[in-house]
């Protein structure tokens, strides 16, 4: 397989400042990132927007083949088990990771733009409650801030730790900070508006461009406690919405073998997904920090 290439756009100031990396379409079925990033690139190219300090790198489409086909991925979820590999074993996303890793390694701050299956408000995943990821998430319009991705995977014995390394965790291991911004439902036009505003606001918050941001708002912080795995054929017990309240003992899902997935503790349902393949997650149990 020839080496996969990624199209990137870079805008650099003579004045020192942070290096921001903005990613779209890590998942090929998510359109708001590429569209919003393309609009912002046009603003830079037309001179309507200028960079005051630092550097911003945009990769509008991180999974070009999946994006062209409108599917989440080709061979492997690009946001799982990210690392450089000498032997990519013919797996397209492993080729992409080799192209993507140098960008992730050199960024001070990464904004990775996604959309999701169930409708709802924009929210952010952060690595840590320390540092500036939480404040950036507030600044760019998140209505919820979710942390504890890695821990949620580690609490699931059936999934290896290494699977939890997505863009965000990879950036962290190279000393950067990373925010995954979930803009809304895949097909909702509001997701594009949220994505574009998030880019405008992070550029303003970091001082890379003129503009306003929403820093200082009070936003609930949710920690992920457990992954709800689809261990066999089955379905969610109802049409769950994102951040629905959960009670200990609630039936999350029913499997075809007659067994049930029971909620172990009170909390909220983060990112419920009805249409998932066996071996992947139905979603996560989250709990509000400080509750
Ligand atoms: Zn995604």
């Amino acid at each position: 397989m020839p080496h996969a290439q990624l199209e990137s756009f870079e805008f650099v100031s003579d004045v020192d400042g942070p290096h921001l990396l903005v990613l779209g379409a890590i998942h090929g079925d998510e359109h708001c990132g590429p569209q919003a990033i393309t609009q912002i690139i046009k603003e830079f190219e037309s001179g309507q927007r200028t960079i005051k300090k630092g550097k911003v790198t945009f990769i509008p489409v991180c999974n070009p083949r999946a994006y062209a086909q409108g599917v989440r991925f080709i061979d492997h979820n690009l946001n799982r088990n990210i690392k450089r590999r000498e032997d990519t074993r013919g797996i397209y996303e492993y080729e992409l990771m080799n192209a993507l890793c140098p960008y992730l390694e050199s960024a001070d701050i990464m904004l990775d733009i996604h959309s999701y299956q169930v409708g709802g408000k924009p929210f952010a995943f952060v690595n840590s409650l320390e540092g500036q990821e939480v404040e950036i998430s507030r600044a760019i319009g998140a209505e919820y801030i979710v942390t504890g991705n890695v821990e949620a995977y580690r609490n699931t014995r059936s999934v290896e730790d290494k699977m939890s390394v997505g863009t965000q965790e990879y950036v962290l291991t190279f000393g950067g900070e990373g925010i995954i911004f979930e803009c809304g439902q895949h097909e909702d036009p509001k997701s594009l508006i949220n994505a574009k505003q998030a880019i405008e606001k992070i550029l303003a918050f970091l001082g890379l461009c003129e503009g306003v941001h929403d820093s200082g708002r009070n936003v609930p912080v949710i920690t992920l406690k457990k992954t709800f795995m689809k261990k066999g054929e089955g379905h969610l017990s109802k049409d769950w919405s994102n951040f629905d309240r959960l009670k200990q003992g609630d039936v999350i899902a029913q499997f075809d073998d007659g067994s049930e997935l029971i909620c172990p503790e009170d909390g909220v349902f983060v990112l419920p997904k009805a249409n998932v393949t066996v071996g992947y997650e139905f979603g996560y149990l989250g709990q509000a920090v400080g509750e």
Side-chain angles (χ1 to χ4, degrees):
M1 189 187 294
H3 288 298
Q5 301 267 334
L6 289 174
E7 190 178 26
S8 67
F9 300 82
E10 201 168 87
F11 302 93
V12 190
S13 166
D14 294 336
V15 182
D16 273 355
H19 177 199
L20 170 68
L21 173 66
V22 183
L23 305 178
I26 283 283
H27 295 131
D29 55 347
E30 301 174 5
H31 309 278
C32 63
Q35 290 172 5
I37 291 170
T38 302
Q39 290 178 8
I40 298 280
I41 290 170
K42 282 193 182 135
E43 291 178 8
F44 275 110
E45 288 178 341
S46 69
Q48 185 187 342
R49 175 180 289 279
T50 52
I51 186 147
K52 294 194 310 179
K53 69 173 187 184
K55 176 165 100 171
V56 58
T57 305
F58 296 103
I59 306 178
V61 179
C62 292
N63 194 331
R65 207 178 286 172
Y67 190 66
Q69 296 179 24
V71 295
R72 194 166 175 78
F73 54 83
I74 301 295
D75 301 314
H76 174 89
N77 185 341
L78 184 55
N79 211 24
R80 297 278 184 275
N81 199 6
I82 294 182
K83 61 178 178 182
R84 292 174 183 247
R85 291 172 179 83
E86 285 197 11
D87 180 6
T88 55
R89 303 188 347 242
I91 294 172
Y92 176 60
E93 278 80 8
Y94 288 178
E95 286 283 337
L96 290 175
M97 286 175 192
N98 283 349
L100 188 60
C101 282
Y103 291 100
L104 297 173
E105 289 160 15
S106 67
D108 296 317
I109 297 126
M110 177 205 71
L111 175 64
D112 180 8
I113 299 175
H114 291 249
S115 56
Y116 57 105
Q117 193 173 303
V118 286
K121 293 173 174 174
F123 69 97
F125 284 111
V126 298
N127 278 308
S128 161
L129 301 181
E130 315 292 323
Q132 59 177 354
E133 291 173 348
V134 167
E135 200 47 47
I136 291 173
S137 301
R138 291 192 185 109
I140 65 176
E143 297 293 338
Y144 292 88
I145 295 167
V146 180
T147 187
N149 255 334
V150 176
E151 288 78 4
Y153 274 104
R154 289 202 176 133
N155 289 340
T156 309
R157 271 174 296 176
S158 59
V159 179
E160 294 176 63
D161 279 359
K162 63 180 185 178
M163 289 293 282
S164 67
V165 178
T167 54
Q168 195 169 36
E169 292 80 14
Y170 193 84
V171 163
L172 180 70
T173 59
F174 285 86
E177 298 188 288
I179 292 139
I180 289 187
F181 193 60
E182 297 278 356
C183 297
Q185 209 277 334
H186 293 320
E187 308 303 331
D188 187 343
K190 270 194 227 141
S191 299
L192 172 57
I193 295 166
N194 292 337
K196 179 143 190 273
Q197 286 181 350
I199 303 169
E200 291 166 349
K201 287 173 179 174
I202 197 170
L203 288 167
F205 178 83
L206 296 171
L208 270 57
C209 293
E210 297 287 349
V212 293
H213 57 78
D214 299 337
S215 176
R217 285 179 314 133
N218 196 10
V219 178
V221 178
I222 308 278
T223 304
L224 297 185
K225 292 290 179 185
K226 194 183 182 331
T227 306
F228 294 134
M229 292 301 293
K230 186 171 182 177
K231 58 168 188 159
E233 290 300 337
H235 56 89
L236 287 175
S237 61
K238 63 175 235 192
D239 194 10
W240 297 98
S241 297
N242 203 20
F243 301 111
D244 267 355
R245 288 255 162 210
L246 291 174
K247 287 267 167 224
Q248 183 182 10
D250 280 351
V251 177
I252 300 296
Q254 285 131 346
F255 296 105
D256 292 358
D257 66 2
S259 63
E260 291 178 328
L261 180 58
I262 303 293
C263 185
E265 293 170 57
D266 292 357
V268 292
F269 203 155
V270 181
L271 275 182
K273 264 184 278 181
N275 305 315
V276 289
T277 317
V278 172
Y280 287 84
E281 59 270 25
F282 273 131
Y284 309 88
L285 170 65
Q287 288 172 337
V289 172
E291 254 184 30

